[in-house]
Amino acid sequence: MTLPAAELAVTTHIGEHDGVDVTYGELGTRVVANAMSVAGPVREVYRVGPRDTGDPAAWRTEIGWPVFRVT
């Protein structure tokens, strides 16, 4: 699938997916603190996941939050 280009605030969640909501919250707080606003759906890229390794400590989920600067 090809996604349209977007400016993203990006972070990587490390480990099991159970705590990904905390990572989303931290990224959202950062976006708001820097006068940015959501401009589209959040993207997840599973750089390393259960299909790659059975070790949850090695999992890496990249979260990309589309943003634009509020003027």
Side-chain angles (χ1 to χ4, degrees), residues 4-71:
E7 188 171 342
L8 305 170
V10 178
T11 192
T12 301
H13 175 76
I14 298 172
E16 294 185 72
H17 297 142
D18 289 346
V20 75
D21 57 330
V22 174
T23 304
Y24 267 96
E26 291 170 350
L27 181 57
T29 298
R30 186 82 167 164
V31 166
V32 170
N34 286 286
M36 303 171 114
S37 182
V38 175
V42 175
R43 300 174 183 186
E44 288 185 2
V45 177
Y46 304 98
R47 297 292 180 195
V48 180
R51 292 182 181 182
D52 303 304
T53 179
D55 178 11
W59 297 354
R60 301 293 183 267
T61 306
E62 185 178 275
I63 301 167
W65 192 310
V67 295
F68 64 94
R69 180 132 333 255
V70 178
T71 56

